[in-house]
Amino acid sequence: MSDDGDADDTPESEAISPYTLQREEASETRHAFWADTVADRIEAREPDEPIVIKGGISPSGVPHLGNVNEIMRGYYVAEVLRDRGYEVRQVFTADDRDPLRGLPRTLCDLEGNLVDLGEVDAGALGRNLGAPYTDIPDPFGCCDSYGDHFSTIIQNSADAVDVPIELVSNTELYESGDLEDITRFVLEHQDRAREVLAQYQDKVDEDYVPFNPICEECGKITETVTSVDADAGTVDYRCTDMDAGDQTIDGCGHEGTATLREGKLPWRFEWPAQWQLFGVDFEPFGKDHAEGSWPSGQDVARNVFEIQPPVPMVYEWFTLEGEPFSSSAGNVILVSDVLELLEPEVLRYFFAKDPSKARDFSIERLDQLVDEFDRLEAIYFGEIDADEDEQAFAERVYPFVVEEPREERIRLPYTFAAVLGMTDDPDLREEIARREGHIPDDPPEWAVEGALKRVERARNWARRTGNEFDYELKRSEIPAHDFGADTEAALAELADFIEEGHEPDEIQGEIYETAKRNDVDVGDFFGAGYRLFFDEDQGPKLGPFLAKVDQEFVVDRLRRER
C-alpha cells in the first residue's frame, strides 16, 4: 500500500475502529480462531456474494516474507467464510502506478536471489525517479516492467503457499477505463473531496485537485493540475517538482493535457476507489495505516463516494531475527527462501497465529516453530493431551493449514532430521529413522517420502545458520586417529554411560567427568570425539549432539567398532 502524508484522528462519530481483534464485544461469540471473529463482523453486514476480501502492495522493491502477512490474513478469513458456505473472492492489488520515489539499495531476481543496486542498470532506475513502476524497464530484463517484476514475485509467493489470490494491476485498472467513472466522480465533487481530505493533510488548499497526471514529456507523475474538464474526461497540468522524503524529484516544466486514464488518484482517494470498484467487504492492513490512511479512507468512502467502508483489521508487523525487515540493510527473507527450510504448512501455521500480537520470525530458532506445528498436528489427531484452548484452536485451524488432514502422516522431529542431514545416504537416513522409532512399521509410502523430505529442509537450515548440525557425520568408516591408552579408556567409559540412556545435559557433564577420571585433558577429549564423528578438530556441543544421534551407532563409534 501507499501513503501520501500524515493524518489526524477522524472527526466522524461513526468511524470504525480498525482494531477489530483488540475490541471484542461482550455480546460476540468467543472463538478459538481470530478469523472467525472477523467473519462474524462481515456476516453481520449481510454482504452480497461473492464476499470480497482485498489486500494490496506497492511493488517498490523486494517482496519479502513480511509482505505476505496481508495475503495470509485475508486468506484465513476467506477460508472461514468459505467453510460457512459463502462464495469468496480474494483480490490483491498491485499499486503499480505509484511513482518510484527513491532508489532501493537491494533488489532480487525472480528466483529470489538478492542483488545490490550496482549489479543492475541503476542508471535506468535513476532516470526514472518519479515515473510509475509499470513505466520503468525491468532491471533484470525478464518482465515487462519494474512493477511487473515485483508483482510476479508476489504472485509466486502466494502460489507457493497455495493461496488463490486474484492479482490486479492498478495500471491496468486505469488504462482499461475501469477506474475512469470513479475518477470522474471525484473530480466532479472535488470541493467535497478537498473539504474531507483537508482534515487529514495540511497541504490541501483551494488549488488542490485529487488527480495526478503522467507528464507526456518526461513520463513522471505530477501533482499540479491547472484545470479540469470532467465532462471531457481531461485535465490540464504542469509538470512540477515532487517531494519524495528527503529528496526532491525535478519536474520538467512541461504543460499539457491528460485523460483520466493517463494518471492516477492520490492514495487517499485511490484506496476507497478500490473499495467501491470491487465492492470490498473486508481488508486487513498494517498498523501504519491504522492511524494514517484508514481514518481518511473511511471518511472519503462515506462522504465523497457515499459507500460503506469495509470491515477493517489491523495486524501487527513481525520482525526477522528481532529486527525490522529491511531490504536496504539486507534483513529480508523471501517465501521461496523459507520454503527451502520448512514445509508450506508450517509457514501457513505461522500466519494462523493471532495477528494482533507482534512476533519474531527467527531462522536461528526455526526448529521451535516446526515443533509448535508438529504439536498442533498431534493435538488435532488426539495423539497428545492439551488444554481446552489448545484443543479448540487445533481443531479449528489445522484443516485450514494443511492441504488435507491425513492421520497416517509422519513428522520427523526437526533437529533429528537435521542430524540425518549430516549424511548423504537416503537409505541410511530411513534406516536410522526406523531404528529410532520415528517411522512405524508398514506406513504408506507417501508418508515415508513426506517425512524424509524434511531432512533436506533441516539440512538447508543447518547450512544457512551454520549451527551445530552443519557438519558431515562420518558414518561409513571410522576416521583415522591416534589416541593414547588413557583416551581410549575414557571413550570406553563414555560409551558405557551413553548406552545406559541419559539426557543431553547429563552426557555433556559426563564428558568432563570422564576426562578428569582418566587424567585426559578436557579439550583433547572433546577433540577425540570430534575426530571420531566428523574427522574434525572441533564441532557442535558434543553432549546434546550425541544424544540426538542413534544410540547404537554412537556407542559403537566410541568403542571404535564401526
Side-chain angles (χ1 to χ4, degrees), residues 89-120:
R89 179 186 181 198
Q90 187 174 356
V91 175
F92 201 79
T93 55
D95 299 331
D96 51 14
R97 197 158 247 198
D98 291 356
L100 179 65
R101 294 177 176 270
L103 295 180
R105 288 173 52 186
T106 306
L107 298 170
C108 70
D109 61 22
L110 292 183
E111 285 69 47
N113 300 306
L114 297 178
V115 301
D116 291 333
L117 187 60
E119 298 178 54
V120 298

Side-chain angles (χ1 to χ4, degrees), residues 10-18 294-295 298 302:
T10 178
E12 297 295 323
S13 58
E14 60 191 353
I16 303 171
S17 167
W294 171 253
Q298 61 173 318
R302 288 195 184 90

Side-chain angles (χ1 to χ4, degrees), residues 60-67 103-108 114-116 317-334 360-361 464:
S60 56
V62 179
H64 51 67
L65 184 65
N67 300 131
L103 295 180
R105 288 173 52 186
T106 306
L107 298 170
C108 70
L114 297 178
V115 301
D116 291 333
W317 295 320
F318 61 92
T319 52
L320 178 63
E321 308 296 355
E323 298 293 333
F325 279 84
S326 171
S327 299
S328 60
N331 196 48
V332 294
I333 189 168
L334 279 68
D360 183 54
F361 191 87
R464 183 182 179 104

Side-chain angles (χ1 to χ4, degrees), residues 2 17 57 83 105 173 203 217 238 319 349 361 385 455 525 552:
S2 331
S17 167
I57 187 174
D83 186 61
R105 288 173 52 186
L173 293 178
K203 69 179 183 181
E217 185 69 22
R238 185 171 64 256
T319 52
Y349 161 71
F361 191 87
D385 294 330
V455 176
F525 193 47
E552 183 180 341

Side-chain angles (χ1 to χ4, degrees), residues 298-309:
Q298 61 173 318
D299 201 350
V300 167
R302 288 195 184 90
N303 297 307
V304 178
F305 292 121
E306 299 178 347
I307 62 169
Q308 173 84 327

